[in-house]
Each structure stands twice: as C-alpha cells, then as structure tokens.
Amino acid sequence: MNKKIIFGLLASAALTLSCAQQTKTNGPVYLDNNAPIEERVEDALSRMTVEEKVAMTHAQSKFSSPGVPRLGIPEVWCTDGPHGIRPEVMWDEWEQAAWTNDSSTAFPALTCLAATWNEEMSLLYGQSIGEEARYRNKNILLGPGVNIYRTPYNGRNFEYMGEDPYLSGKMVVPYIKGVQQNAVAVCVKHYALNNNEVNRHTTNVHIDDRTLYEIYLPAFKAAVQEGQAWSIMGSYNLYKGQWNCHNQYMLNDILKGEWGFDGVVVSDWGGVHDTDQSVYNGLDLEYGSWTNGLTMGRSNAYASYFLADAYLEGIKSGKYGTKELDDKCRRILRLIFRTTMSANRPYGRFTCPEHYAAARKIGAEGIVLLKNDGVLPIDVKKVKKVLVVGENAVKMMTVGGGSSSLKVQHEISPLDGLKARLNGIAEVVYERGYVGDASGEYNGVTTGQDLSESRSAAKLIADAVAAAKTADYVIFVGGLNKSAHQDCEDSDRFSYGLPYNQDAVIEALAEANKNLVVVNISGNAVAMPWVDKVPAIVQDWYLGSEAGNSLADVLVGDVNPSGKLPFTFPVAYEDGPLKTVEQYPGVDQGRTGGVEAYDVPIFEMTYSEGVFVGYRWYDTKNIKPLFAFGHGLSYTTFEFGEAKVSKASMTQDGEVTVTVDVKNTGKVAGAEVVQLYIADHEASVERPTKELKGFSKVYLEPGQAAQVSFTIKKDALSFFDAQKHEWVAEKGKFSALVGSASDKILASVDFELK
Ligand code: BGC
C-alpha cells in the first residue's frame, strides 16, 4: 500500500470518527438521519415513558395516532386507499372536513391494474398514488388489497387483484415499491380470508392449511417478503375463532413468525374486540374502535380503546408486562423512521398532468376486449353518428363503493371521452336506456349530478331503440355502479345478473343495430344472456379520473387492447364452486363472539371447495366459462411457435427454461400476454388441472417476433403439504402449457422432476 493511500484512509477514518462524535455531542441518535434505523428505534424507545408508549399504540382521531410530542416524533396519519387519496374527514366523524384543496386524482380500480398483467403499470401506479399521499402528508396509505376473488358476489372484489394468487402476488409488489419510494408506507389489506362483505365482522372461516397457504396467503406473503411492505391491515373476520386483528395464528405464527414481518399490524377500523388478545396476539396499532357514545364523562374517548387505558392500567397492576408493548412501539417507530423521519423523504405532487397521464394509460391497458366480431375499433374514417346508451356512460363512478370513495378534481365520463375523441369527426348522441341509481353521495361527498328521470322503463328503451336505428355504432355503457349491493363495501351482490333491466335494453338494441358494442363497467363478473346477439363486448372497470379517455382510446383503436381477465366469468353463478350455505354466506351455529366484549352471533363459513377457486375449479370440473381467466382479445393477431424446454428433466434444486416464439401476424402494433401454466401429471393430492406460474407481456410491431422464456424452479411445481407444513414438489412428469388465456393453450412441452 503506498503512503498516499494510507494517509487517505487515516484521514477518512478520522473524519468518520469526528462525524460520529459530532452526532453524539450534537443530539440524540434517534434524531440523526444518518444513523441506522434500528439504532434510532432503540434510542427513541429508551427515552419513552410507558404512557407515551401506550399512547402510540392506538388512534387519537379517525385517521391519526400520536407520535411522541415531547421528543419531536411526529404523529402517524393514514388515508384510504387504494385508488386515490380520500378527502379529509372530521377529527372523529366520517363526515367531510369540507376542505377545498383535497380533491385528488382517481386511479383505476385494482381489478383494472391486475388486468394489465404488466408489472410496469403497477410500479407507475404505486409511484403516482404514493406521490399524492406524500403531498397530502400521509405516511400510511390504506391499500393495496389482495384478497382473493372467491365469489362474484363479493362487494369489494373491485378493490382487489383477482382470483389467482400468483398474478396478485406479482402485481402487488411493484405497487408497494412505488408507494414506499415516497416514504409513505403501504398497508396491505385485508389480512386475511376477508373474501366477502356480508357479515364481514362476524364470519369465522374454516379452511384447511393447504388451501390457506396455496390460495389465500401467497399474495400477502409476496407483499411482505418481496414488496417489503411496512404495514399490513388485519381483517374484520375471524379465523379459528379469533378475530384477525388479534389472531395468534395469522399474526404471530404466520406473518411475524414464518414470514419475518418487521412492520406494523394496523387493525381494520373497528376490528378490535379485546384487550388481552390485542396485547398478545400480534396487533400493533388500533384504529377505528367505536368512540360514539363513549365521550360522555370523558375528556378523550380514545382512552376507551382496547389498547388505551385498559392496557396502561393492566401494565401498572402487573397484569401485562412491557415486552409486547416495546415490540409494538419498535414497529411503529420503525415505520416513522422509514417515512416521516426518513432522511430521504421526497415532497410528492398532486393532481398533476403526470398523474392523469398515468391513470389514463393504466386504464386503457387494463380494459379487456371480451368479444369482437369485427365491429371494433370504431372506424374514424367512416363514422358519422355514434349513439351512446346507458347510465354508466354519464354517472360519476369515483363517488361510492365505501372507503375507497373519492372526491376528485375531475372525472371524464365515457360519454365525454367519446365526444372529445370524435369531436369534428362524428356526431355523438346520448340516450339513457335505463335508470340505475340516480343518487350520488358518499360520506357527504356529492357528485352534484342531476340524474333524475321521469320516463318509464318501456319509454326509455323505445327512445334508445329509435335513436339506434340511425346510428353507425351503438355503444351501450352499463354494468354495476358501486351503490349498495352493486360493487360496494359492507354489502355483497344479491344476484349474478345485471341490475336495472339492462338485459332487456341490450336485447332491444341488438335487434335495432348490428354494430352494437356493450361496455360493462364492474369489478365483478356478470351474466351475459345476450352474449351471442352482441357483436362486441368490452370489460371496462372503475377507471377513475380519466375513465372516459381511456375507454375512448381503446374504442377508436388509439390504444390496441391488451388487458386480460384477472378472474373468470362463468356462464351462471351456479356453475361456480360455492354450492352450499356452509360455503357462503355461512351459518349461525349458535356460538357467539368468544370474547366477553363482543357477544354477537358468529357465522361459520367453510371453504370446502379447497384450492378449487376460479379457473382451478372450472378447468378441473370441465365447465366451460363465458370468458375464461386470462382471456382478452386484441385488434391484431398473434401466433405462437413451438414450446421448447432447455432440458428434459430437472432436480429438486435445479431448473428448466421454457421458451416460445410469439409473432404479431396482424396489421397493427399490439401486446400479448404470454401465460405459462403448469400441469402436474400425477400427485398424491388432488391438484387443479393447471396453475398459472408465469406471464410476460410483449409489445410487437406488425410482423415482429420475440422469444419469451420462463425459468421453472421447484416452487412452480409444488403444493403445500399440510402434514409436513411445507411446500413439496413430487417427482414425476409435468407439462408447461403456454398460451394467450387459460382456455387458449397454444404450445406445450413436458419435462420431468427427478
Ligand atoms: C375498511 C378499510 C378501510 C378503513 C378506513 C374499513 O371499513 O374495511 O378497508 O381502510 O375502513 O376507512
């Protein structure tokens, strides 16, 4: 080593030493931005009194909880989630605070994000919504949601990412990374088994371990281990007789034990029922317990929370130790040092052109072309008159649906989007067709729209049919609408069919005009008894601020559709796996809440269909769906070559690579989602016919080809062995099935696991 280097090293060591000394003499470690987070956590914790610690573990208002004012440690502020930043509410009311600067950007619903099958879209989504949360000074975003789509009746499916654990797991990770780049924590919800809204506070789920680990946990696990989520929300329901906000098995054993989660377990709002269980069973931060009526005679109703006075008194009397309290506070402090007290905290931005562009892009990429007999795209060179029919073409969809409801700066309706795009090209006229829900209010946010209508149902149809006769294209925009029982929190749907007489309107329009396009806006599958009479069907979603622009982009072909269904559309609800009331909506077997504080009837729900959820059910039982999982058409065509495997066999710790060539054989550029499913030829347990284990979205110019490859390792071949409590891949033959939908396998190749 030459002298210069030695001198340099000594000098830099001296500098480091003096910086460290300086930090020490200048102030406490927890305030030192450059100190490792764990040192800051320990230092802060060592300075806190037991009262300050207990205060930190429960809310002080609807959406905030205390920091440590004496030490300059800031409060925690949460916001819904997951599609945009919720407007401000009163301190302890759900009603509006009536701010005039909190109208946000609404991004597409998570069903749409999942339908892009594009991880880049998920990152863009996370970055954008994270910037909005940061700008609004929130450090926990209540989302994303990854509960698996078990039934098309679930009112909250639109907030989740579909029926497949692999797809949800892949799509949730970039969202988390994007949000957390902004020094805003995600709060992944609702952990776990909250797969319906009916009786959501009082459903006790019975499920075997294999199903739990294979279907309902993987997306949460990916969020925690790959996404490194900084917080997670316990769900309202029970599992093994304990509420999930304080559940030994879910929180201590699996989440914190098996997965090593180091973040904060936040309760769902009002999901906490017991102090003992909250102390011991993994809850860290209590929110939303009902304070109504508790204010009488108390200066602070939040002192009545399960983790408030009762906890402090319990510690003082020796009933509880402080080990659990310190663990809760460590986690909350860690979150604060990762967010508000992080040295790398950006500033965020709000309702900016970039966010609207992101919303529009994600929206257009998630739209799924279900059927097209050559009607779409609208031919802008020939079209003279377009008739738009349906309430959903004009109704604001960002208001409603429950806690994800927003107050937006703007929302482009489908009608406005089409009018803007066809301005100067064609006349765009509108007919109502049917009346759905003309009201538009959620927690005091009103749409301000007047959707009142005096015509009878018959007259509405007659007027639409008359107009349809002179139009070049008829675009019917209907579906569900986020009002109670139509894709809405706290209520499930009552039936699988479209509401408000829409089927009759569609049938009448199909007779009146052969160029009919049905656009279904929903977060759930719906029945389509008219499917054979309608030449083009588009699955639209709740697309947020830019809804109409995204839809117009696809309908005229500015964007070539490339979305794929993240869940199956069965022909009829009865085709699905839920056959008994024990499976859904559960039965009251006479037991009550199990903890003193909450003596209510509990509904026992048994997931006896096991792992046979979604396409795993339809495939295995040979039931042809209306539209399959992974289905979605394009304005171009793609050809798949032969599937090739790198080796004929692999070992338990080895891998094989499957490759396939894909070519755009049509006339316009477009994207195809190449999907890899694995089929196990023989197993000691009953396995689904095939399971998604890889996907890749490729953009191709006309005539262009690309090679897509997938690396297959043991995890893609495994099932969860409940007895051994581990993932097991059994020796034998497997098929790699490659296709453009779960029902369109275009290439396959076999290999063996030795
Ligand atoms: C919902 C959560 C939401 C919370 C706060 C609850 O009712 O289940 O998803 O984040 O309220 O609004």
Side-chain angles (χ1 to χ4, degrees):
M1 208 183 279
N2 74 31
K3 268 190 194 155
K4 254 192 199 157
I5 296 178
I6 294 176
F7 178 76
L9 284 176
L10 282 175
S12 82
L15 198 70
T16 318
L17 204 67
S18 80
C19 282
Q21 274 166 351
Q22 234 177 23
T23 311
K24 272 219 169 95
T25 47
N26 276 357
V29 175
Y30 79 93
L31 288 176
D32 178 3
N33 278 335
N34 298 317
I37 283 188
E38 293 310 310
E39 284 177 28
R40 298 181 78 185
V41 167
E42 289 311 316
D43 184 54
L45 192 70
S46 71
R47 294 165 194 272
M48 287 166 64
T49 64
V50 70
E51 284 80 7
E52 285 167 338
K53 290 180 185 174
V54 169
M56 191 175 245
T57 63
H58 62 272
Q60 60 174 5
S61 76
K62 275 276 173 271
F63 284 106
S64 74
S65 52
V68 192
R70 183 178 62 85
L71 299 176
I73 295 176
E75 300 164 331
V76 168
W77 276 90
C78 308
T79 177
D80 283 299
H83 305 143
I85 309 308
R86 184 176 176 152
E88 299 295 331
V89 297
M90 310 272 273
W91 187 257
D92 187 32
E93 305 292 335
W94 292 107
E95 292 310 315
Q96 295 303 296
W99 290 16
T100 51
N101 58 355
D102 58 350
S103 302
S104 63
T105 309
F107 296 92
L110 293 191
T111 35
C112 172
L113 178 62
T116 67
W117 293 58
N118 184 346
E119 291 159 78
E120 280 171 30
M121 288 302 109
S122 177
L123 183 64
L124 175 66
Y125 195 125
Q127 284 166 335
S128 308
I129 194 173
E131 287 173 350
E132 298 237 337
R134 165 63 189 95
Y135 181 94
R136 286 268 299 278
N137 260 319
K138 310 299 179 191
N139 64 331
I140 300 187
L141 175 71
L142 303 174
V146 285
N147 295 86
I148 290 291
Y149 186 118
R150 178 173 177 252
T151 163
Y153 286 179
N154 181 11
R156 288 190 95 170
N157 276 339
F158 73 97
E159 291 186 68
Y160 304 140
M161 299 202 190
E163 71 187 24
D164 184 72
Y166 180 85
L167 178 66
S168 316
K170 280 282 166 207
M171 292 302 292
V172 74
V173 170
Y175 180 118
I176 295 170
K177 294 198 166 148
V179 170
Q180 294 190 165
Q181 279 169 12
N182 291 287
V184 172
V186 294
C187 188
V188 184
K189 61 195 192 184
H190 305 88
Y191 181 73
L193 301 172
N194 183 181
N195 307 101
N196 51 272
E197 288 296 292
V198 63
N199 303 324
R200 63 178 176 163
H201 292 272
T202 51
T203 292
N204 182 33
V205 175
H206 299 259
I207 183 172
D208 62 88
D209 277 2
R210 178 176 165 217
T211 306
L212 180 66
Y213 277 77
E214 283 188 29
I215 305 292
Y216 296 96
L217 293 184
F220 288 105
K221 186 180 181 195
V224 166
Q225 293 194 330
E226 290 164 53
Q228 304 271 299
W230 293 335
S231 77
I232 198 165
M233 186 187 290
S235 59
Y236 283 138
N237 53 288
L238 303 91
Y239 165 64
K240 292 197 183 182
Q242 285 178 3
W243 270 282
N244 275 349
C245 289
H246 34 74
N247 188 305
Q248 171 64 28
Y249 317 97
M250 278 290 170
L251 302 176
N252 283 342
D253 296 349
I254 300 175
L255 177 68
K256 294 180 175 178
E258 292 178 22
W259 301 346
F261 177 64
D262 72 356
V264 179
V265 174
V266 181
S267 74
D268 198 348
W269 269 234
V272 180
H273 305 285
D274 180 68
T275 297
D276 280 0
Q277 292 191 10
S278 300
V279 171
Y280 295 118
N281 291 357
L283 176 67
D284 300 311
L285 188 46
E286 178 186 6
Y287 267 99
S289 304
W290 315 124
T291 51
N292 306 349
L294 295 174
T295 40
M296 252 199 304
R298 301 202 72 140
S299 58
N300 173 19
Y302 289 88
S304 304
Y305 270 37
F306 294 96
L307 284 182
D309 283 0
Y311 194 12
L312 187 61
E313 280 154 25
I315 290 173
K316 288 195 168 153
S317 72
K319 181 179 182 198
Y320 307 121
T322 52
K323 188 173 114 224
E324 296 80 17
L325 180 63
D326 283 348
D327 181 58
K328 295 178 203 301
C329 290
R330 273 194 187 94
R331 290 167 182 274
I332 298 166
L333 287 166
R334 193 174 289 133
L335 183 140
I336 292 172
F337 290 125
R338 283 167 165 168
T339 57
T340 29
M341 292 183 82
S342 157
N344 306 313
R345 192 178 184 217
Y347 299 99
R349 49 184 177 167
F350 198 57
T351 51
C352 51
E354 290 77 7
H355 290 176
Y356 289 121
R360 180 172 182 166
K361 192 171 180 182
I362 297 162
E365 196 166 326
I367 290 172
V368 183
L369 182 61
L370 293 175
K371 177 177 176 186
N372 188 19
D373 288 347
V375 173
L376 286 173
I378 293 172
D379 187 342
V380 287
K381 290 205 188 90
K382 292 196 186 139
V383 61
K384 295 275 177 317
K385 185 174 175 187
V386 173
L387 169 68
V388 176
V389 183
E391 187 175 283
N392 281 359
V394 295
K395 185 177 166 70
M396 275 184 76
M397 293 288 194
T398 49
V399 176
S403 57
S404 62
S405 180
L406 296 169
K407 180 170 103 185
V408 291
Q409 201 190 40
H410 77 245
E411 176 176 344
I412 313 281
S413 69
L415 181 63
D416 287 345
L418 275 164
K419 275 189 172 163
R421 179 58 180 84
L422 296 175
N423 187 22
I425 297 174
E427 185 193 357
V428 178
V429 292
Y430 176 70
E431 272 299 334
R432 180 71 170 267
Y434 69 92
V435 177
D437 182 358
S439 67
E441 195 267 342
Y442 185 77
N443 270 171
V445 177
T446 49
T447 62
Q449 290 185 297
D450 180 6
L451 295 178
S452 55
E453 175 60 65
S454 54
R455 286 173 288 175
S456 69
K459 176 82 171 105
L460 284 169
I461 294 183
D463 288 352
V465 164
K469 290 192 172 142
T470 59
D472 301 318
Y473 293 89
V474 178
I475 317 284
F476 175 85
V477 186
L480 311 180
N481 59 15
K482 288 186 174 177
S483 49
H485 307 290
Q486 307 295 347
D487 280 353
C488 185
E489 179 174 341
D490 209 13
S491 68
D492 279 355
R493 295 168 69 198
F494 291 133
S495 60
Y496 185 54
L498 282 175
Y500 318 127
N501 202 31
Q502 290 178 77
D503 289 339
V505 184
I506 294 169
E507 301 261 1
L509 290 173
E511 277 192 17
N513 192 311
K514 62 178 185 0
N515 284 342
L516 171 64
V517 179
V518 169
V519 176
N520 179 61
I521 298 183
S522 70
N524 263 312
V526 299
M528 298 186 179
W530 31 260
V531 65
D532 293 329
K533 298 179 193 155
V534 174
I537 306 174
V538 172
Q539 176 59 28
D540 205 7
W541 315 97
Y542 303 109
L543 295 188
S545 292
E546 290 289 307
N549 286 335
S550 302
L551 181 63
D553 287 343
V554 168
L555 294 182
V556 302
D558 294 343
V559 170
N560 189 351
S562 64
K564 299 277 182 177
L565 288 179
F567 51 81
T568 312
F569 276 57
V571 175
Y573 176 81
E574 293 68 34
D575 290 349
L578 306 190
K579 307 284 186 200
T580 67
V581 290
E582 285 77 14
Q583 285 173 288
Y584 178 87
V587 282
D588 174 2
Q589 292 177 346
R591 94 149 130 180
T592 54
V595 288
E596 261 176 57
Y598 209 78
D599 206 14
V600 289
I602 297 296
F603 293 85
E604 312 294 337
M605 187 181 287
T606 309
Y607 286 29
S608 53
E609 70 284 1
V611 299
F612 298 96
V613 175
Y615 68 90
R616 287 168 168 78
W617 167 266
Y618 299 101
D619 257 14
T620 309
K621 303 288 170 190
N622 277 316
I623 299 167
K624 198 171 151 32
L626 180 62
F627 296 109
F629 172 79
H631 169 77
L633 306 172
S634 164
Y635 296 148
T636 188
T637 47
F638 298 95
E639 214 172 80
F640 283 51
E642 253 176 61
K644 296 189 182 116
V645 67
S646 56
K647 289 180 290 185
S649 68
M650 62 180 267
T651 54
Q652 288 277 337
D653 52 3
E655 60 185 46
V656 292
T657 303
V658 170
T659 48
V660 65
D661 290 334
V662 183
K663 187 174 178 190
N664 180 347
T665 49
K667 292 196 178 69
V668 288
E672 179 60 294
V673 178
V674 183
Q675 304 165 32
L676 168 77
Y677 296 85
I678 296 287
D680 189 351
H681 288 212
E682 207 188 312
S684 58
V685 294
E686 197 195 350
R687 300 195 69 180
T689 302
K690 62 178 185 290
E691 296 182 278
L692 183 76
K693 294 296 171 186
F695 61 88
S696 173
K697 194 162 196 173
V698 281
Y699 291 83
L700 298 170
E701 295 296 325
Q704 196 188 353
Q707 189 175 68
V708 176
S709 58
F710 300 101
T711 303
I712 299 170
K713 294 188 181 160
K714 183 186 158 184
D715 57 342
L717 313 178
S718 306
F719 63 87
F720 189 80
D721 186 323
Q723 233 109 57
K724 293 188 183 146
H725 200 76
E726 62 184 39
W727 289 88
V728 168
E730 289 176 345
K731 287 180 189 167
K733 259 204 176 159
F734 291 85
S735 295
L737 309 168
V738 183
S740 59
S742 66
D743 66 344
K744 207 163 174 212
I745 299 303
L746 299 164
S748 78
V749 62
D750 291 354
F751 60 94
E752 203 176 335
L753 176 69
K754 294 249 166 163

